[in-house]
Amino acid sequence: MSIFVFDAYGTLFDVHAAIGRFRDKAGPDADRMSDIWRTKQLEYSWTLTMAGRYAPFWTLTERALDFALARVPSVDKALKPQLLQAYFNLDAFPDARAALRTLKGKGHKTGILSNGSPDMLEPLVRHSGLRFDAVLSVDAVKIFKPAPQAYQLAVEKFGVPKERIGFVSSNFWDAAGAKSFGFHVFWINRGGVVGERLGFQPDRVLRSLGEL
Ligand code: LAC
């Protein structure tokens, strides 16, 4: 495997870092609100895709936050701009930096393929200081992962057969979609959670990016 393509949110970057910075102000339902925010963000992307529609992931991130704040009224709605702003510099998971350095040191190429829109990914990657050979957004084809057209972007960018691309994701739905597409898939199961039964299994299950 000489090319490793990573999912961004949940795999390299911690989406719950946003609420983490405001947990005191957000109160006891902070984590529940953050879970709903993430779940709806993804659900909206799949629902639009199935309806044959597209809106940038940033728009869906904001709509999902509006929903989550409405659903969990104990969290102060005034936190909305700060929570959205935090999305531009989410913390990278502690294992990401070392893993990327090791892969590069071994001469591998690395990339990101994310549902995130370019205006989200650019500041996120810049603030993290992490370096990639390519940062690809599905916005180029205006359809979200797990649609095959989205994964195809990485094949076109790196110009190699898909089975030579190692695709790395912590999101099982993404790992399953990537396997269905034909990538060699690593599912990063940091929490040791039960794998989904979607009919597609990753090639490897790892506990951290450090095991790549
Ligand atoms: C990504 C998300 C949706 O594609 O996890 O980065």
Side-chain angles (χ1 to χ4, degrees):
M1 204 61 52
S2 56
I3 296 164
F4 289 85
V5 175
F6 294 81
D7 166 62
Y9 299 102
T11 301
L12 294 170
F13 301 98
D14 182 4
V15 291
H16 301 296
I19 196 69
R21 294 178 199 160
F22 302 99
R23 198 171 272 114
D24 288 348
K25 286 188 192 163
D29 297 326
D31 292 324
R32 190 163 74 86
M33 193 287 294
S34 187
D35 281 342
I36 295 174
W37 182 12
R38 171 66 172 173
T39 304
K40 291 294 158 184
Q41 176 198 47
L42 296 174
E43 199 180 293
Y44 291 0
S45 70
W46 304 325
T47 306
L48 282 190
T49 297
M50 291 191 72
R53 294 178 185 273
Y54 176 83
F57 202 61
W58 182 245
T59 305
L60 305 188
T61 299
E62 184 169 2
R63 288 181 189 162
L65 179 56
D66 284 338
F67 175 84
L69 289 169
R71 184 80 181 68
V72 187
S74 64
V75 177
D76 185 0
K77 287 186 180 35
L79 286 174
K80 179 183 166 182
Q82 294 159 74
L83 289 170
L84 284 175
Q85 190 59 34
Y87 236 84
F88 295 122
N89 62 354
L90 295 172
D91 301 328
F93 283 107
D95 54 353
R97 209 166 296 275
L100 287 163
R101 202 181 310 118
T102 305
L103 292 174
K104 279 199 183 287
K106 289 183 178 166
H108 298 304
K109 283 196 167 23
T110 59
I112 286 180
L113 173 64
S114 175
N115 279 349
S117 36
D119 54 347
M120 305 168 69
L121 292 171
E122 191 279 321
L124 180 66
V125 173
R126 180 160 38 83
H127 284 134
S128 73
L130 299 175
R131 296 274 174 275
F132 299 90
D133 296 293
V135 177
L136 306 172
S137 164
V138 304
D139 192 68
V141 284
K142 304 227 174 328
I143 189 164
F144 291 108
K145 295 183 292 179
Q149 300 94 307
Y151 297 112
Q152 181 65 25
L153 282 170
V155 175
E156 278 156 25
K157 178 68 194 182
F158 287 104
V160 297
K162 48 192 172 184
E163 53 283 355
R164 286 198 41 217
I165 294 183
F167 187 80
V168 186
S169 186
S170 297
N171 297 298
F172 196 98
W173 59 269
D174 189 22
K179 185 64 202 170
S180 160
F181 176 72
F183 285 149
H184 185 87
V185 176
F186 299 87
W187 178 43
I188 309 301
N189 185 9
R190 290 191 181 90
V193 300
V194 172
E196 308 273 354
R197 269 61 166 182
L198 263 167
F200 294 94
Q201 290 304 318
D203 295 281
R204 300 281 308 278
V205 181
L206 308 178
R207 286 304 288 259
S208 90
L209 293 174
E211 293 177 17
L212 277 174

